[in-house]
Amino acid sequence: MDTLRYLDNVATLHLDGEACVGCGECTLVCPHGVFEVNEHKAALVDLGGCMECGACANNCPASAITVSPGVGCAVYIIQTWIKGKERATCGGGECC
Amino acid sequence: MNMTPKNENCSTGQEPCSCETQAGPQPFPMHPGEDVVCCGSPVRPPSSTLERPGYRLWHFVEEFVETPAGPVPRVKTSLARPDILATALARMSSFRNDYKVEPGLYCVGRPGPDSAVLVSANYKLSFDALRKELSGLDAWILVLDTRGINVWCAAGKGLFCAPEVIRMVKLSGLEEVVRHRNIILPQLSATGVSARDVEKGCGFSVTWGPVRARDIRGFIRAGMKAEFPMRRVTFTFAERLLLVPVELFLLIKPTMWALLAIFVLSGLGVGFFSFNAAWLRGFMAVCALGAGIFAGAVLVPALLPWLPGRAFSLKGAIAGLLGGAGVVLAFWGRARGLEDLALVLFAGVVSSYLAMNFTGATPFTSPSGVEKEMRRAIPLQAAALLATILAWVGASFAG
């Protein structure tokens, strides 16, 4: 994905270095290589690559990772604006 | 019941044939020992011994193998013609919305109590993608009920989740089938699955498999370890083009409305409405619409890394404005200045909006980014559309 980059400085991903136990689970589940573990601590090496899928936060045993997960889909976001987050769907199977 | 047709005219279709109404699993023997039939069409083969009343047997099931948890279908590891045709249909229409296999335990090869367990979604394309990579391997496949949605999207929707994994592990009787206590989940399901919750809930530990099913073999060979590239999502030229047919399919209905609007707006003029103008000017506008759709739904996916900018709406606007300029050149001399402007803008707006919607189909756009992009792009797109309409209708009155 080195040739395909989306907007920088928008991802809501946050890593609490204090809380990290260095298990490396985040490096296994992240599909964009956002994390690296060095000296028993995870580090964000490519925050701009984050697509906020939530896999890391979901599988961090120390709850050291927070991210506001969601679907990066325009149709879905328009619906959250109109109908609210609870009732929004991806229209007609547009995205997923 | 007659065993032979009495009437010679039966085969010519002039008289009803007594065996045409014949139904049932056994072929109707015209002459004992012969597979020939009355009325031309050959007899279909008898029902498979695997079939059961009330069920329909999938063509990919080879046989059922007995396990301590009951019979488990052994599935083929190659795709057949019906799989390929249905895949094509799913790739280009709403057929994909309800194309699924039944959740439960399947197997490939000759798996035993120590064989690996691969977990998958019950979207048929996901299931096919997995089984076709497993030739020569002995493994169990545990298919979850993800409502016919693929692994990653089901995980994003919370359908491919720890409670569902736990439910299917228990329902399938997996712990009676295998001695070990480990299951391999596709990496992308991590968006919905907490590995710890799975282990707590059913005693099976989770190993994160590779992103793509085609890396499963290498993953197993490497001792259940995925190399770095196996853990990364890609979005290659071929992967992007595969999404184009569905994007176009989804545009059929909105396009109909756009055509109606074009017809009405193109006919408006000093004489209130002119069918002649609706047709002549409408044709140019329809070409601009076509250019916008082609730019936004085909060129943007195809040329994504090479179009300038990060925001999809910008990439789409550039492709669309160029397409609109092409339409103006094609009609050079037939349109007036204001109309030229409207045609270029129109293609740009259509393409920009469609490109922005394409974010939902890509594997790298963050929702925060898409929302930020949309807050900027939508007002601009709306303004450009309004300017397009004013210029188009205004040109008619000015002329």
Side-chain angles (χ1 to χ4, degrees), chain B residues 5-30:
Chain B
K6 282 186 203 161
N7 195 326
E8 287 176 6
N9 290 332
C10 146
S11 59
T12 59
Q14 289 169 357
E15 296 278 340
C17 169
S18 65
C19 62
E20 251 179 2
T21 54
Q22 201 55 40
Q26 292 302 319
F28 187 77
M30 293 272 302

PDB file of all heavy atoms in Angstrom, chain B residues 5-30:
ATOM      1  N   PRO B   5     -44.442 -46.148 -25.209  1.00  0.00           N
ATOM      2  CA  PRO B   5     -45.504 -45.308 -25.756  1.00  0.00           C
ATOM      3  C   PRO B   5     -46.295 -46.075 -26.804  1.00  0.00           C
ATOM      4  O   PRO B   5     -45.716 -46.746 -27.652  1.00  0.00           O
ATOM      5  CB  PRO B   5     -44.751 -44.131 -26.355  1.00  0.00           C
ATOM      6  CG  PRO B   5     -43.327 -44.531 -26.426  1.00  0.00           C
ATOM      7  CD  PRO B   5     -43.115 -45.707 -25.547  1.00  0.00           C
ATOM      8  N   LYS B   6     -47.593 -45.966 -26.714  1.00  0.00           N
ATOM      9  CA  LYS B   6     -48.444 -46.676 -27.681  1.00  0.00           C
ATOM     10  C   LYS B   6     -48.416 -45.961 -29.022  1.00  0.00           C
ATOM     11  O   LYS B   6     -48.517 -46.565 -30.070  1.00  0.00           O
ATOM     12  CB  LYS B   6     -49.886 -46.695 -27.169  1.00  0.00           C
ATOM     13  CG  LYS B   6     -50.156 -47.718 -26.097  1.00  0.00           C
ATOM     14  CD  LYS B   6     -51.655 -47.685 -25.824  1.00  0.00           C
ATOM     15  CE  LYS B   6     -51.951 -48.234 -24.425  1.00  0.00           C
ATOM     16  NZ  LYS B   6     -53.273 -47.798 -23.981  1.00  0.00           N
ATOM     17  N   ASN B   7     -48.275 -44.680 -28.911  1.00  0.00           N
ATOM     18  CA  ASN B   7     -48.501 -43.862 -30.090  1.00  0.00           C
ATOM     19  C   ASN B   7     -47.196 -43.474 -30.767  1.00  0.00           C
ATOM     20  O   ASN B   7     -46.312 -42.893 -30.146  1.00  0.00           O
ATOM     21  CB  ASN B   7     -49.252 -42.602 -29.640  1.00  0.00           C
ATOM     22  CG  ASN B   7     -49.837 -41.878 -30.813  1.00  0.00           C
ATOM     23  OD1 ASN B   7     -49.232 -41.874 -31.885  1.00  0.00           O
ATOM     24  ND2 ASN B   7     -50.989 -41.268 -30.608  1.00  0.00           N
ATOM     25  N   GLU B   8     -47.050 -43.755 -32.022  1.00  0.00           N
ATOM     26  CA  GLU B   8     -45.843 -43.406 -32.761  1.00  0.00           C
ATOM     27  C   GLU B   8     -45.643 -41.898 -32.858  1.00  0.00           C
ATOM     28  O   GLU B   8     -44.536 -41.410 -32.995  1.00  0.00           O
ATOM     29  CB  GLU B   8     -45.914 -43.970 -34.184  1.00  0.00           C
ATOM     30  CG  GLU B   8     -45.741 -45.458 -34.252  1.00  0.00           C
ATOM     31  CD  GLU B   8     -45.929 -45.941 -35.674  1.00  0.00           C
ATOM     32  OE1 GLU B   8     -46.081 -45.098 -36.580  1.00  0.00           O
ATOM     33  OE2 GLU B   8     -45.915 -47.143 -35.858  1.00  0.00           O
ATOM     34  N   ASN B   9     -46.756 -41.151 -32.816  1.00  0.00           N
ATOM     35  CA  ASN B   9     -46.667 -39.702 -32.978  1.00  0.00           C
ATOM     36  C   ASN B   9     -46.053 -39.000 -31.771  1.00  0.00           C
ATOM     37  O   ASN B   9     -45.768 -37.820 -31.830  1.00  0.00           O
ATOM     38  CB  ASN B   9     -48.052 -39.108 -33.225  1.00  0.00           C
ATOM     39  CG  ASN B   9     -48.565 -39.506 -34.586  1.00  0.00           C
ATOM     40  OD1 ASN B   9     -47.775 -39.742 -35.490  1.00  0.00           O
ATOM     41  ND2 ASN B   9     -49.869 -39.603 -34.711  1.00  0.00           N
ATOM     42  N   CYS B  10     -45.897 -39.776 -30.714  1.00  0.00           N
ATOM     43  CA  CYS B  10     -45.314 -39.197 -29.503  1.00  0.00           C
ATOM     44  C   CYS B  10     -43.985 -38.522 -29.787  1.00  0.00           C
ATOM     45  O   CYS B  10     -43.753 -37.391 -29.391  1.00  0.00           O
ATOM     46  CB  CYS B  10     -45.120 -40.296 -28.467  1.00  0.00           C
ATOM     47  SG  CYS B  10     -43.701 -40.102 -27.412  1.00  0.00           S
ATOM     48  N   SER B  11     -43.109 -39.201 -30.519  1.00  0.00           N
ATOM     49  CA  SER B  11     -41.763 -38.660 -30.706  1.00  0.00           C
ATOM     50  C   SER B  11     -41.761 -37.446 -31.624  1.00  0.00           C
ATOM     51  O   SER B  11     -40.837 -36.655 -31.598  1.00  0.00           O
ATOM     52  CB  SER B  11     -40.837 -39.740 -31.271  1.00  0.00           C
ATOM     53  OG  SER B  11     -41.361 -40.183 -32.502  1.00  0.00           O
ATOM     54  N   THR B  12     -42.794 -37.282 -32.420  1.00  0.00           N
ATOM     55  CA  THR B  12     -42.839 -36.114 -33.290  1.00  0.00           C
ATOM     56  C   THR B  12     -43.554 -34.960 -32.611  1.00  0.00           C
ATOM     57  O   THR B  12     -43.672 -33.878 -33.166  1.00  0.00           O
ATOM     58  CB  THR B  12     -43.571 -36.434 -34.604  1.00  0.00           C
ATOM     59  OG1 THR B  12     -44.892 -36.852 -34.266  1.00  0.00           O
ATOM     60  CG2 THR B  12     -42.879 -37.527 -35.379  1.00  0.00           C
ATOM     61  N   GLY B  13     -44.057 -35.193 -31.424  1.00  0.00           N
ATOM     62  CA  GLY B  13     -44.697 -34.123 -30.677  1.00  0.00           C
ATOM     63  C   GLY B  13     -46.144 -33.898 -31.064  1.00  0.00           C
ATOM     64  O   GLY B  13     -46.777 -32.978 -30.575  1.00  0.00           O
ATOM     65  N   GLN B  14     -46.685 -34.734 -31.956  1.00  0.00           N
ATOM     66  CA  GLN B  14     -48.070 -34.508 -32.386  1.00  0.00           C
ATOM     67  C   GLN B  14     -49.077 -34.999 -31.362  1.00  0.00           C
ATOM     68  O   GLN B  14     -50.198 -34.540 -31.312  1.00  0.00           O
ATOM     69  CB  GLN B  14     -48.318 -35.219 -33.730  1.00  0.00           C
ATOM     70  CG  GLN B  14     -47.590 -34.526 -34.874  1.00  0.00           C
ATOM     71  CD  GLN B  14     -47.609 -35.355 -36.132  1.00  0.00           C
ATOM     72  OE1 GLN B  14     -48.118 -36.471 -36.140  1.00  0.00           O
ATOM     73  NE2 GLN B  14     -47.049 -34.812 -37.194  1.00  0.00           N
ATOM     74  N   GLU B  15     -48.658 -35.946 -30.567  1.00  0.00           N
ATOM     75  CA  GLU B  15     -49.545 -36.476 -29.544  1.00  0.00           C
ATOM     76  C   GLU B  15     -48.839 -36.393 -28.196  1.00  0.00           C
ATOM     77  O   GLU B  15     -47.621 -36.446 -28.140  1.00  0.00           O
ATOM     78  CB  GLU B  15     -49.849 -37.960 -29.841  1.00  0.00           C
ATOM     79  CG  GLU B  15     -50.613 -38.192 -31.132  1.00  0.00           C
ATOM     80  CD  GLU B  15     -52.101 -37.994 -30.987  1.00  0.00           C
ATOM     81  OE1 GLU B  15     -52.598 -38.061 -29.824  1.00  0.00           O
ATOM     82  OE2 GLU B  15     -52.766 -37.772 -31.979  1.00  0.00           O
ATOM     83  N   PRO B  16     -49.610 -36.255 -27.141  1.00  0.00           N
ATOM     84  CA  PRO B  16     -48.949 -36.255 -25.831  1.00  0.00           C
ATOM     85  C   PRO B  16     -48.277 -37.594 -25.569  1.00  0.00           C
ATOM     86  O   PRO B  16     -48.774 -38.641 -25.980  1.00  0.00           O
ATOM     87  CB  PRO B  16     -50.101 -36.010 -24.840  1.00  0.00           C
ATOM     88  CG  PRO B  16     -51.337 -36.320 -25.575  1.00  0.00           C
ATOM     89  CD  PRO B  16     -51.066 -36.111 -27.039  1.00  0.00           C
ATOM     90  N   CYS B  17     -47.137 -37.512 -24.949  1.00  0.00           N
ATOM     91  CA  CYS B  17     -46.366 -38.710 -24.709  1.00  0.00           C
ATOM     92  C   CYS B  17     -46.578 -39.140 -23.274  1.00  0.00           C
ATOM     93  O   CYS B  17     -46.511 -38.327 -22.357  1.00  0.00           O
ATOM     94  CB  CYS B  17     -44.900 -38.397 -24.958  1.00  0.00           C
ATOM     95  SG  CYS B  17     -43.803 -39.675 -24.409  1.00  0.00           S
ATOM     96  N   SER B  18     -46.833 -40.379 -23.065  1.00  0.00           N
ATOM     97  CA  SER B  18     -47.212 -40.836 -21.742  1.00  0.00           C
ATOM     98  C   SER B  18     -46.101 -40.649 -20.716  1.00  0.00           C
ATOM     99  O   SER B  18     -46.363 -40.491 -19.548  1.00  0.00           O
ATOM    100  CB  SER B  18     -47.607 -42.310 -21.797  1.00  0.00           C
ATOM    101  OG  SER B  18     -46.471 -43.075 -22.144  1.00  0.00           O
ATOM    102  N   CYS B  19     -44.840 -40.665 -21.167  1.00  0.00           N
ATOM    103  CA  CYS B  19     -43.771 -40.569 -20.173  1.00  0.00           C
ATOM    104  C   CYS B  19     -43.304 -39.147 -19.953  1.00  0.00           C
ATOM    105  O   CYS B  19     -42.458 -38.891 -19.115  1.00  0.00           O
ATOM    106  CB  CYS B  19     -42.588 -41.447 -20.553  1.00  0.00           C
ATOM    107  SG  CYS B  19     -41.839 -40.995 -22.090  1.00  0.00           S
ATOM    108  N   GLU B  20     -43.885 -38.197 -20.675  1.00  0.00           N
ATOM    109  CA  GLU B  20     -43.487 -36.807 -20.456  1.00  0.00           C
ATOM    110  C   GLU B  20     -43.895 -36.312 -19.081  1.00  0.00           C
ATOM    111  O   GLU B  20     -43.264 -35.443 -18.518  1.00  0.00           O
ATOM    112  CB  GLU B  20     -44.129 -35.904 -21.516  1.00  0.00           C
ATOM    113  CG  GLU B  20     -43.109 -35.387 -22.494  1.00  0.00           C
ATOM    114  CD  GLU B  20     -43.758 -34.525 -23.547  1.00  0.00           C
ATOM    115  OE1 GLU B  20     -44.975 -34.302 -23.506  1.00  0.00           O
ATOM    116  OE2 GLU B  20     -43.017 -34.081 -24.414  1.00  0.00           O
ATOM    117  N   THR B  21     -44.974 -36.872 -18.571  1.00  0.00           N
ATOM    118  CA  THR B  21     -45.459 -36.431 -17.276  1.00  0.00           C
ATOM    119  C   THR B  21     -44.754 -37.169 -16.148  1.00  0.00           C
ATOM    120  O   THR B  21     -44.980 -36.890 -14.982  1.00  0.00           O
ATOM    121  CB  THR B  21     -46.970 -36.698 -17.162  1.00  0.00           C
ATOM    122  OG1 THR B  21     -47.191 -38.072 -17.441  1.00  0.00           O
ATOM    123  CG2 THR B  21     -47.742 -35.841 -18.124  1.00  0.00           C
ATOM    124  N   GLN B  22     -43.926 -38.108 -16.532  1.00  0.00           N
ATOM    125  CA  GLN B  22     -43.258 -38.934 -15.545  1.00  0.00           C
ATOM    126  C   GLN B  22     -42.298 -38.105 -14.703  1.00  0.00           C
ATOM    127  O   GLN B  22     -41.471 -37.370 -15.210  1.00  0.00           O
ATOM    128  CB  GLN B  22     -42.485 -40.006 -16.318  1.00  0.00           C
ATOM    129  CG  GLN B  22     -42.131 -41.240 -15.543  1.00  0.00           C
ATOM    130  CD  GLN B  22     -43.327 -41.909 -14.904  1.00  0.00           C
ATOM    131  OE1 GLN B  22     -44.380 -41.995 -15.500  1.00  0.00           O
ATOM    132  NE2 GLN B  22     -43.152 -42.348 -13.685  1.00  0.00           N
ATOM    133  N   ALA B  23     -42.417 -38.168 -13.377  1.00  0.00           N
ATOM    134  CA  ALA B  23     -41.482 -37.455 -12.506  1.00  0.00           C
ATOM    135  C   ALA B  23     -40.951 -38.435 -11.468  1.00  0.00           C
ATOM    136  O   ALA B  23     -41.548 -39.464 -11.219  1.00  0.00           O
ATOM    137  CB  ALA B  23     -42.182 -36.300 -11.805  1.00  0.00           C
ATOM    138  N   GLY B  24     -39.855 -38.109 -10.872  1.00  0.00           N
ATOM    139  CA  GLY B  24     -39.316 -38.998  -9.855  1.00  0.00           C
ATOM    140  C   GLY B  24     -37.847 -39.215 -10.048  1.00  0.00           C
ATOM    141  O   GLY B  24     -37.280 -38.805 -11.051  1.00  0.00           O
ATOM    142  N   PRO B  25     -37.214 -39.810  -9.104  1.00  0.00           N
ATOM    143  CA  PRO B  25     -35.757 -39.914  -9.128  1.00  0.00           C
ATOM    144  C   PRO B  25     -35.220 -40.909 -10.149  1.00  0.00           C
ATOM    145  O   PRO B  25     -34.101 -40.769 -10.596  1.00  0.00           O
ATOM    146  CB  PRO B  25     -35.416 -40.352  -7.704  1.00  0.00           C
ATOM    147  CG  PRO B  25     -36.645 -41.034  -7.197  1.00  0.00           C
ATOM    148  CD  PRO B  25     -37.802 -40.395  -7.896  1.00  0.00           C
ATOM    149  N   GLN B  26     -36.002 -41.894 -10.520  1.00  0.00           N
ATOM    150  CA  GLN B  26     -35.491 -42.919 -11.424  1.00  0.00           C
ATOM    151  C   GLN B  26     -35.815 -42.582 -12.874  1.00  0.00           C
ATOM    152  O   GLN B  26     -36.894 -42.105 -13.167  1.00  0.00           O
ATOM    153  CB  GLN B  26     -36.128 -44.280 -11.079  1.00  0.00           C
ATOM    154  CG  GLN B  26     -35.678 -44.821  -9.727  1.00  0.00           C
ATOM    155  CD  GLN B  26     -34.176 -44.993  -9.636  1.00  0.00           C
ATOM    156  OE1 GLN B  26     -33.535 -45.442 -10.573  1.00  0.00           O
ATOM    157  NE2 GLN B  26     -33.589 -44.594  -8.525  1.00  0.00           N
ATOM    158  N   PRO B  27     -34.871 -42.816 -13.787  1.00  0.00           N
ATOM    159  CA  PRO B  27     -35.209 -42.618 -15.197  1.00  0.00           C
ATOM    160  C   PRO B  27     -36.272 -43.628 -15.612  1.00  0.00           C
ATOM    161  O   PRO B  27     -36.327 -44.731 -15.081  1.00  0.00           O
ATOM    162  CB  PRO B  27     -33.878 -42.859 -15.910  1.00  0.00           C
ATOM    163  CG  PRO B  27     -33.061 -43.648 -14.959  1.00  0.00           C
ATOM    164  CD  PRO B  27     -33.533 -43.307 -13.586  1.00  0.00           C
ATOM    165  N   PHE B  28     -37.081 -43.194 -16.515  1.00  0.00           N
ATOM    166  CA  PHE B  28     -38.178 -44.052 -16.942  1.00  0.00           C
ATOM    167  C   PHE B  28     -37.697 -44.922 -18.094  1.00  0.00           C
ATOM    168  O   PHE B  28     -37.351 -44.411 -19.148  1.00  0.00           O
ATOM    169  CB  PHE B  28     -39.335 -43.161 -17.391  1.00  0.00           C
ATOM    170  CG  PHE B  28     -40.578 -43.909 -17.698  1.00  0.00           C
ATOM    171  CD1 PHE B  28     -41.379 -44.379 -16.684  1.00  0.00           C
ATOM    172  CD2 PHE B  28     -40.931 -44.149 -19.021  1.00  0.00           C
ATOM    173  CE1 PHE B  28     -42.529 -45.066 -16.983  1.00  0.00           C
ATOM    174  CE2 PHE B  28     -42.083 -44.838 -19.300  1.00  0.00           C
ATOM    175  CZ  PHE B  28     -42.885 -45.305 -18.286  1.00  0.00           C
ATOM    176  N   PRO B  29     -37.611 -46.216 -17.888  1.00  0.00           N
ATOM    177  CA  PRO B  29     -37.045 -47.061 -18.954  1.00  0.00           C
ATOM    178  C   PRO B  29     -38.042 -47.287 -20.082  1.00  0.00           C
ATOM    179  O   PRO B  29     -39.148 -47.763 -19.859  1.00  0.00           O
ATOM    180  CB  PRO B  29     -36.716 -48.365 -18.228  1.00  0.00           C
ATOM    181  CG  PRO B  29     -37.622 -48.396 -17.045  1.00  0.00           C
ATOM    182  CD  PRO B  29     -38.045 -46.998 -16.732  1.00  0.00           C
ATOM    183  N   MET B  30     -37.643 -46.861 -21.269  1.00  0.00           N
ATOM    184  CA  MET B  30     -38.451 -47.110 -22.466  1.00  0.00           C
ATOM    185  C   MET B  30     -38.326 -48.565 -22.853  1.00  0.00           C
ATOM    186  O   MET B  30     -39.285 -49.279 -23.031  1.00  0.00           O
ATOM    187  CB  MET B  30     -37.962 -46.255 -23.614  1.00  0.00           C
ATOM    188  CG  MET B  30     -38.183 -44.793 -23.413  1.00  0.00           C
ATOM    189  SD  MET B  30     -39.786 -44.333 -23.999  1.00  0.00           S
ATOM    190  CE  MET B  30     -39.680 -44.863 -25.691  1.00  0.00           C
TER     191      MET B  30
END
